[in-house]
Tab-separated table of all heavy atoms in Angstrom:
chain	number	residue	atom	x	y	z
A	154	MET	N	84.268	-35.165	78.088
A	154	MET	CA	85.523	-34.876	77.243
A	154	MET	C	85.166	-34.771	75.827
A	154	MET	O	85.890	-33.954	75.094
A	154	MET	CB	86.389	-36.064	77.507
A	154	MET	CG	87.841	-35.911	77.044
A	154	MET	SD	88.657	-34.586	78.073
A	154	MET	CE	90.173	-34.763	77.779
A	155	ARG	N	84.231	-35.499	75.322
A	155	ARG	CA	83.803	-35.389	73.900
A	155	ARG	C	83.266	-33.931	73.620
A	155	ARG	O	83.571	-33.388	72.536
A	155	ARG	CB	82.814	-36.348	73.610
A	155	ARG	CG	83.256	-37.656	73.104
A	155	ARG	CD	82.123	-38.568	72.828
A	155	ARG	NE	81.833	-38.555	71.402
A	155	ARG	CZ	80.848	-39.353	70.893
A	155	ARG	NH1	80.182	-40.254	71.564
A	155	ARG	NH2	80.511	-39.337	69.626
A	156	ILE	N	82.398	-33.417	74.563
A	156	ILE	CA	81.834	-32.066	74.252
A	156	ILE	C	82.886	-31.084	74.262
A	156	ILE	O	82.926	-30.138	73.443
A	156	ILE	CB	80.778	-31.826	75.299
A	156	ILE	CG1	79.557	-32.818	75.143
A	156	ILE	CG2	80.250	-30.388	75.241
A	156	ILE	CD1	78.589	-32.658	76.092
A	157	LYS	N	83.764	-31.052	75.232
A	157	LYS	CA	84.885	-30.186	75.301
A	157	LYS	C	85.737	-30.216	73.976
A	157	LYS	O	86.258	-29.157	73.580
A	157	LYS	CB	85.901	-30.600	76.581
A	157	LYS	CG	86.739	-29.398	76.967
A	157	LYS	CD	87.447	-29.881	78.326
A	157	LYS	CE	88.312	-28.695	78.717
A	157	LYS	NZ	89.047	-29.014	79.916
A	158	ASN	N	86.104	-31.390	73.468
A	158	ASN	CA	86.872	-31.495	72.324
A	158	ASN	C	85.983	-30.988	71.080
A	158	ASN	O	86.716	-30.288	70.215
A	158	ASN	CB	87.184	-32.949	71.991
A	158	ASN	CG	88.190	-33.164	70.905
A	158	ASN	OD1	88.900	-32.272	70.450
A	158	ASN	ND2	88.216	-34.371	70.410
A	159	PHE	N	84.721	-31.222	71.125
A	159	PHE	CA	83.920	-30.682	70.007
A	159	PHE	C	83.876	-29.199	70.063
A	159	PHE	O	84.006	-28.406	68.950
A	159	PHE	CB	82.568	-31.196	70.110
A	159	PHE	CG	81.618	-30.717	69.045
A	159	PHE	CD1	81.628	-31.289	67.780
A	159	PHE	CD2	80.777	-29.571	69.419
A	159	PHE	CE1	80.746	-30.663	66.743
A	159	PHE	CE2	79.817	-29.153	68.360
A	159	PHE	CZ	79.807	-29.658	67.155
A	160	LEU	N	83.719	-28.522	71.241
A	160	LEU	CA	83.679	-27.103	71.247
A	160	LEU	C	85.114	-26.553	71.013
A	160	LEU	O	85.139	-25.402	70.475
A	160	LEU	CB	83.257	-26.689	72.805
A	160	LEU	CG	81.813	-26.869	73.112
A	160	LEU	CD1	81.509	-26.619	74.459
A	160	LEU	CD2	80.971	-26.214	72.145
A	161	ALA	N	86.166	-27.217	71.362
A	161	ALA	CA	87.466	-26.686	71.026
A	161	ALA	C	87.678	-26.568	69.599
A	161	ALA	O	88.270	-25.669	69.134
A	161	ALA	CB	88.532	-27.561	71.669
A	162	ARG	N	87.109	-27.624	68.869
A	162	ARG	CA	87.314	-27.546	67.357
A	162	ARG	C	86.353	-26.609	66.658
A	162	ARG	O	86.548	-25.867	65.698
A	162	ARG	CB	86.986	-28.925	66.808
A	162	ARG	CG	88.177	-29.852	67.084
A	162	ARG	CD	87.928	-31.333	66.374
A	162	ARG	NE	88.975	-32.080	66.650
A	162	ARG	CZ	89.114	-33.241	66.017
A	162	ARG	NH1	88.249	-33.567	65.128
A	162	ARG	NH2	90.125	-34.004	66.309
A	163	HIS	N	85.049	-26.655	67.024
A	163	HIS	CA	84.036	-25.896	66.356
A	163	HIS	C	83.525	-24.785	67.078
A	163	HIS	O	82.430	-24.186	66.618
A	163	HIS	CB	82.894	-26.776	66.001
A	163	HIS	CG	83.397	-28.079	65.168
A	163	HIS	ND1	83.768	-27.962	63.878
A	163	HIS	CD2	83.436	-29.363	65.582
A	163	HIS	CE1	84.253	-29.153	63.541
A	163	HIS	NE2	84.037	-29.953	64.608
A	164	GLY	N	84.027	-24.294	68.130
A	164	GLY	CA	83.453	-23.227	69.007
A	164	GLY	C	83.398	-21.902	68.366
A	164	GLY	O	82.392	-21.096	68.367
A	165	SER	N	84.400	-21.592	67.595
A	165	SER	CA	84.506	-20.192	66.923
A	165	SER	C	83.425	-20.188	65.852
A	165	SER	O	82.758	-19.140	65.611
A	165	SER	CB	85.800	-19.975	66.373
A	165	SER	OG	86.229	-20.923	65.358
A	166	SER	N	83.188	-21.349	65.133
A	166	SER	CA	82.173	-21.263	64.057
A	166	SER	C	80.813	-21.182	64.598
A	166	SER	O	79.932	-20.489	64.130
A	166	SER	CB	82.285	-22.610	63.196
A	166	SER	OG	83.607	-22.667	62.520
A	167	LEU	N	80.557	-21.851	65.628
A	167	LEU	CA	79.286	-21.854	66.441
A	167	LEU	C	78.969	-20.352	66.936
A	167	LEU	O	77.896	-19.973	66.739
A	167	LEU	CB	79.143	-22.817	67.511
A	167	LEU	CG	79.179	-24.290	67.111
A	167	LEU	CD1	79.305	-25.243	68.430
A	167	LEU	CD2	77.814	-24.646	66.485
A	168	MET	N	79.994	-19.850	67.441
A	168	MET	CA	79.801	-18.504	67.984
A	168	MET	C	79.446	-17.442	66.915
A	168	MET	O	78.840	-16.469	66.972
A	168	MET	CB	80.916	-17.996	68.862
A	168	MET	CG	81.084	-18.831	70.073
A	168	MET	SD	79.507	-19.183	70.970
A	168	MET	CE	79.335	-17.591	71.769
A	169	ALA	N	80.151	-17.668	65.744
A	169	ALA	CA	80.038	-16.800	64.567
A	169	ALA	C	78.584	-16.848	63.970
A	169	ALA	O	77.944	-15.915	63.699
A	169	ALA	CB	81.046	-17.069	63.526
A	170	PHE	N	78.047	-18.109	64.008
A	170	PHE	CA	76.823	-18.390	63.480
A	170	PHE	C	75.783	-17.706	64.464
A	170	PHE	O	74.792	-17.025	63.897
A	170	PHE	CB	76.461	-19.870	63.432
A	170	PHE	CG	75.106	-20.200	62.978
A	170	PHE	CD1	74.623	-19.866	61.748
A	170	PHE	CD2	74.213	-20.750	63.916
A	170	PHE	CE1	73.418	-20.284	61.314
A	170	PHE	CE2	72.982	-21.087	63.579
A	170	PHE	CZ	72.499	-20.772	62.332
A	171	ALA	N	76.050	-17.990	65.773
A	171	ALA	CA	75.069	-17.345	66.754
A	171	ALA	C	75.012	-15.836	66.662
A	171	ALA	O	73.919	-15.145	66.714
A	171	ALA	CB	75.475	-17.822	68.187
A	172	LEU	N	76.237	-15.231	66.411
A	172	LEU	CA	76.259	-13.789	66.351
A	172	LEU	C	75.598	-13.272	65.177
A	172	LEU	O	74.938	-12.152	65.277
A	172	LEU	CB	77.792	-13.383	66.368
A	172	LEU	CG	78.086	-11.805	66.279
A	172	LEU	CD1	77.473	-11.153	67.500
A	172	LEU	CD2	79.535	-11.521	66.094
A	173	ALA	N	75.681	-13.970	64.074
A	173	ALA	CA	75.050	-13.625	62.840
A	173	ALA	C	73.444	-13.738	62.905
A	173	ALA	O	72.830	-12.816	62.551
A	173	ALA	CB	75.487	-14.463	61.654
A	174	VAL	N	73.019	-14.734	63.574
A	174	VAL	CA	71.582	-14.822	63.852
A	174	VAL	C	71.038	-13.711	64.756
A	174	VAL	O	70.079	-13.061	64.410
A	174	VAL	CB	71.292	-16.294	64.556
A	174	VAL	CG1	69.838	-16.350	65.016
A	174	VAL	CG2	71.487	-17.294	63.446
A	175	ILE	N	71.772	-13.473	65.822
A	175	ILE	CA	71.230	-12.342	66.706
A	175	ILE	C	71.427	-10.960	66.063
A	175	ILE	O	70.487	-10.181	66.144
A	175	ILE	CB	72.085	-12.398	68.035
A	175	ILE	CG1	71.852	-13.794	68.836
A	175	ILE	CG2	71.929	-11.224	68.895
A	175	ILE	CD1	72.790	-13.953	69.936
A	176	ALA	N	72.449	-10.785	65.317
A	176	ALA	CA	72.638	-9.499	64.663
A	176	ALA	C	71.486	-9.276	63.643
A	176	ALA	O	70.921	-8.177	63.464
A	176	ALA	CB	74.046	-9.395	63.881
A	177	GLY	N	71.074	-10.281	63.028
A	177	GLY	CA	69.952	-10.293	62.128
A	177	GLY	C	68.625	-10.025	62.695
A	177	GLY	O	67.786	-9.117	62.300
A	178	GLN	N	68.378	-10.581	63.876
A	178	GLN	CA	67.180	-10.261	64.622
A	178	GLN	C	67.183	-8.858	65.072
A	178	GLN	O	66.148	-8.102	65.042
A	178	GLN	CB	67.000	-11.244	65.703
A	178	GLN	CG	66.810	-12.690	65.245
A	178	GLN	CD	66.756	-13.679	66.549
A	178	GLN	OE1	67.221	-13.371	67.605
A	178	GLN	NE2	66.375	-14.855	66.150
A	179	VAL	N	68.344	-8.444	65.591
A	179	VAL	CA	68.305	-7.009	66.035
A	179	VAL	C	68.114	-6.022	64.955
A	179	VAL	O	67.393	-5.081	65.192
A	179	VAL	CB	69.702	-6.763	66.839
A	179	VAL	CG1	69.900	-5.311	67.131
A	179	VAL	CG2	69.747	-7.636	68.229
A	180	ALA	N	68.661	-6.326	63.897
A	180	ALA	CA	68.605	-5.430	62.657
A	180	ALA	C	67.146	-5.279	62.279
A	180	ALA	O	66.516	-4.258	61.936
A	180	ALA	CB	69.504	-5.762	61.610
A	181	ALA	N	66.512	-6.515	62.170
A	181	ALA	CA	65.056	-6.540	61.788
A	181	ALA	C	64.149	-5.749	62.729
A	181	ALA	O	63.252	-5.026	62.229
A	181	ALA	CB	64.605	-7.909	61.640
A	182	ARG	N	64.447	-5.873	64.040
A	182	ARG	CA	63.607	-5.140	65.003
A	182	ARG	C	63.925	-3.618	64.874
A	182	ARG	O	63.040	-2.929	65.091
A	182	ARG	CB	63.790	-5.666	66.464
A	182	ARG	CG	63.274	-6.871	66.662
A	182	ARG	CD	63.399	-7.288	68.114
A	182	ARG	NE	62.887	-8.567	68.441
A	182	ARG	CZ	63.308	-9.547	69.234
A	182	ARG	NH1	64.470	-9.156	69.854
A	182	ARG	NH2	62.903	-10.693	69.332
A	183	GLY	N	65.107	-3.291	64.691
A	183	GLY	CA	65.400	-1.872	64.559
A	183	GLY	C	64.642	-1.280	63.322
A	183	GLY	O	64.303	-0.040	63.441
A	184	CYS	N	64.787	-1.894	62.300
A	184	CYS	CA	64.114	-1.385	61.097
A	184	CYS	C	62.614	-1.242	61.355
A	184	CYS	O	62.008	-0.257	60.993
A	184	CYS	CB	64.367	-2.224	59.782
A	184	CYS	SG	66.062	-2.144	59.304
A	185	PHE	N	62.072	-2.217	62.106
A	185	PHE	CA	60.561	-2.236	62.255
A	185	PHE	C	60.261	-0.912	63.180
A	185	PHE	O	59.389	-0.177	62.867
A	185	PHE	CB	60.127	-3.370	63.062
A	185	PHE	CG	58.703	-3.362	63.437
A	185	PHE	CD1	57.711	-3.599	62.492
A	185	PHE	CD2	58.405	-3.079	64.683
A	185	PHE	CE1	56.383	-3.579	62.799
A	185	PHE	CE2	57.088	-3.061	65.173
A	185	PHE	CZ	56.005	-3.280	64.094
A	186	TYR	N	61.078	-0.576	64.137
A	186	TYR	CA	60.745	0.430	65.104
A	186	TYR	C	61.063	1.826	64.319
A	186	TYR	O	60.365	2.814	64.708
A	186	TYR	CB	61.586	0.375	66.315
A	186	TYR	CG	61.052	-0.694	67.147
A	186	TYR	CD1	61.905	-1.723	67.752
A	186	TYR	CD2	59.761	-0.673	67.624
A	186	TYR	CE1	61.358	-2.637	68.520
A	186	TYR	CE2	59.241	-1.715	68.519
A	186	TYR	CZ	60.130	-2.678	68.870
A	186	TYR	OH	59.632	-3.669	69.727
A	187	CYS	N	62.109	1.866	63.578
A	187	CYS	CA	62.381	3.122	62.804
A	187	CYS	C	61.413	3.468	61.760
A	187	CYS	O	61.059	4.710	61.542
A	187	CYS	CB	63.719	3.090	62.293
A	187	CYS	SG	64.983	3.062	63.441
A	188	TYR	N	60.852	2.461	60.973
A	188	TYR	CA	60.017	2.801	59.823
A	188	TYR	C	58.496	2.376	60.054
A	188	TYR	O	57.793	2.448	59.119
A	188	TYR	CB	60.583	2.014	58.612
A	188	TYR	CG	61.894	2.438	58.237
A	188	TYR	CD1	63.050	1.594	58.356
A	188	TYR	CD2	62.156	3.733	57.803
A	188	TYR	CE1	64.265	1.913	58.006
A	188	TYR	CE2	63.337	4.187	57.404
A	188	TYR	CZ	64.487	3.230	57.526
A	188	TYR	OH	65.705	3.675	57.193
A	189	TYR	N	58.240	2.018	61.276
A	189	TYR	CA	56.756	1.753	61.577
A	189	TYR	C	55.882	2.881	61.345
A	189	TYR	O	56.213	3.999	62.024
A	189	TYR	CB	56.635	1.057	63.078
A	189	TYR	CG	55.320	0.774	63.332
A	189	TYR	CD1	54.572	-0.206	62.736
A	189	TYR	CD2	54.637	1.472	64.307
A	189	TYR	CE1	53.268	-0.541	63.012
A	189	TYR	CE2	53.210	1.299	64.678
A	189	TYR	CZ	52.574	0.239	64.061
A	189	TYR	OH	51.284	-0.087	64.357
A	190	GLN	N	54.794	2.876	60.706
A	190	GLN	CA	53.815	3.908	60.547
A	190	GLN	C	52.461	3.333	61.011
A	190	GLN	O	51.862	2.500	60.241
A	190	GLN	CB	53.835	4.486	59.118
A	190	GLN	CG	55.076	5.035	58.689
A	190	GLN	CD	54.928	5.497	57.257
A	190	GLN	OE1	54.025	5.164	56.523
A	190	GLN	NE2	55.847	6.327	56.894
A	191	PRO	N	51.905	3.619	62.161
A	191	PRO	CA	50.624	3.393	62.513
A	191	PRO	C	49.398	3.577	61.617
A	191	PRO	O	48.506	2.892	61.534
A	191	PRO	CB	50.375	3.920	63.816
A	191	PRO	CG	51.335	5.011	64.000
A	191	PRO	CD	52.387	4.791	62.993
A	192	GLU	N	49.556	4.631	60.778
A	192	GLU	CA	48.638	5.038	59.922
A	192	GLU	C	49.144	5.453	58.494
A	192	GLU	O	50.354	5.920	58.510
A	192	GLU	CB	47.550	5.932	60.397
A	192	GLU	CG	48.373	7.259	60.933
A	192	GLU	CD	47.364	8.203	61.766
A	192	GLU	OE1	46.842	7.589	62.619
A	192	GLU	OE2	47.444	9.446	61.435
A	193	GLU	N	48.389	5.435	57.385
A	193	GLU	CA	48.969	5.727	56.108
A	193	GLU	C	49.102	7.265	56.014
A	193	GLU	O	48.107	7.944	56.401
A	193	GLU	CB	48.105	5.285	55.005
A	193	GLU	CG	48.111	3.795	54.778
A	193	GLU	CD	47.398	3.472	53.537
A	193	GLU	OE1	46.685	4.278	52.990
A	193	GLU	OE2	47.332	2.200	53.204
A	194	PRO	N	50.069	7.821	55.444
A	194	PRO	CA	50.160	9.342	55.159
A	194	PRO	C	49.085	9.662	54.175
A	194	PRO	O	48.676	8.857	53.415
A	194	PRO	CB	51.497	9.455	54.686
A	194	PRO	CG	52.371	8.348	55.010
A	194	PRO	CD	51.341	7.165	55.166
A	195	GLU	N	48.654	10.939	54.318
A	195	GLU	CA	47.729	11.501	53.258
A	195	GLU	C	48.354	11.430	51.907
A	195	GLU	O	49.510	11.887	51.790
A	195	GLU	CB	47.174	12.855	53.656
A	195	GLU	CG	46.476	12.859	54.950
A	195	GLU	CD	45.939	14.306	55.279
A	195	GLU	OE1	45.861	15.035	54.362
A	195	GLU	OE2	45.668	14.564	56.360
A	196	GLY	N	47.579	11.153	50.915
A	196	GLY	CA	48.019	11.127	49.507
A	196	GLY	C	48.839	9.972	49.085
A	196	GLY	O	49.525	9.887	48.064
A	197	LEU	N	48.971	8.875	49.999
A	197	LEU	CA	49.752	7.759	49.637
A	197	LEU	C	49.255	6.983	48.382
A	197	LEU	O	49.937	6.613	47.474
A	197	LEU	CB	50.006	6.784	50.793
A	197	LEU	CG	50.760	5.560	50.638
A	197	LEU	CD1	52.245	5.923	50.344
A	197	LEU	CD2	50.673	4.548	51.734
A	198	LYS	N	47.928	6.791	48.402
A	198	LYS	CA	47.311	6.050	47.313
A	198	LYS	C	47.431	6.731	46.049
A	198	LYS	O	47.692	6.164	44.976
A	198	LYS	CB	46.061	5.740	47.700
A	198	LYS	CG	45.687	4.676	48.730
A	198	LYS	CD	44.298	4.335	48.942
A	198	LYS	CE	44.280	3.389	50.151
A	198	LYS	NZ	42.928	2.934	50.359
A	199	LYS	N	47.285	8.132	45.958
A	199	LYS	CA	47.541	8.821	44.850
A	199	LYS	C	48.923	8.755	44.344
A	199	LYS	O	49.258	8.731	43.187
A	199	LYS	CB	47.186	10.369	45.069
A	199	LYS	CG	47.191	11.258	43.977
A	199	LYS	CD	46.893	12.726	44.435
A	199	LYS	CE	46.949	13.542	43.153
A	199	LYS	NZ	46.737	15.082	43.567
A	200	PHE	N	49.999	8.750	45.274
A	200	PHE	CA	51.313	8.843	44.935
A	200	PHE	C	51.583	7.332	44.286
A	200	PHE	O	52.360	7.416	43.238
A	200	PHE	CB	52.156	8.933	46.202
A	200	PHE	CG	53.648	8.780	45.910
A	200	PHE	CD1	54.410	9.705	45.169
A	200	PHE	CD2	54.187	7.589	46.371
A	200	PHE	CE1	55.752	9.571	45.007
A	200	PHE	CE2	55.622	7.420	46.041
A	200	PHE	CZ	56.384	8.373	45.444
A	201	VAL	N	51.168	6.397	44.896
A	201	VAL	CA	51.365	4.939	44.331
A	201	VAL	C	50.723	4.827	42.891
A	201	VAL	O	51.263	4.253	42.150
A	201	VAL	CB	50.896	3.960	45.298
A	201	VAL	CG1	51.016	2.542	44.658
A	201	VAL	CG2	51.709	3.853	46.589
A	202	ARG	N	49.513	5.299	42.844
A	202	ARG	CA	48.787	5.236	41.517
A	202	ARG	C	49.552	6.086	40.357
A	202	ARG	O	49.554	5.444	39.169
A	202	ARG	CB	47.416	5.858	41.692
A	202	ARG	CG	46.409	4.945	41.072
A	202	ARG	CD	44.881	5.533	41.281
A	202	ARG	NE	44.873	5.790	42.686
A	202	ARG	CZ	44.003	6.681	43.171
A	202	ARG	NH1	43.222	7.383	42.366
A	202	ARG	NH2	43.921	6.909	44.429
A	203	ASN	N	50.188	7.186	40.638
A	203	ASN	CA	50.773	7.942	39.653
A	203	ASN	C	52.187	7.451	39.331
A	203	ASN	O	52.732	7.937	38.391
A	203	ASN	CB	50.951	9.476	40.149
A	203	ASN	CG	49.494	10.114	40.153
A	203	ASN	OD1	48.541	9.653	39.473
A	203	ASN	ND2	49.245	11.091	40.911
A	204	LYS	N	52.710	6.554	40.106
A	204	LYS	CA	54.028	6.148	39.742
A	204	LYS	C	54.172	5.296	38.613
A	204	LYS	O	53.683	4.715	37.890
A	204	LYS	CB	54.526	5.371	41.050
A	204	LYS	CG	55.967	5.367	41.105
A	204	LYS	CD	56.468	4.809	42.468
A	204	LYS	CE	58.046	4.856	42.538
A	204	LYS	NZ	58.505	4.312	43.700
């Protein structure tokens, strides 16, 4: 009964927190897969040096 009462009061906050954590993890993985480069492009060091 205590757990049921606790979940009734704080369930929406717990679910919002869980959703935020999961969304952050999914976004981080998505960025990794979209922008991952297994090797450096040619001329990268020259570009960084001239900047």
Side-chain angles (χ1 to χ4, degrees):
M154 194 68 166
R155 271 177 93 178
I156 294 174
K157 193 174 186 180
N158 190 17
F159 179 80
L160 287 177
R162 286 186 180 191
H163 304 290
S165 61
S166 297
L167 289 171
M168 295 315 283
F170 176 72
L172 182 62
V174 169
I175 290 170
Q178 291 175 349
V179 169
R182 284 190 186 140
C184 289
F185 176 77
Y186 287 123
C187 289
Y188 297 115
Y189 176 69
Q190 295 178 345
E192 54 192 46
E193 289 183 359
E195 293 181 23
L197 179 67
K198 290 183 181 182
K199 183 179 177 185
F200 174 74
V201 171
R202 224 176 313 152
N203 290 336
K204 201 168 184 185

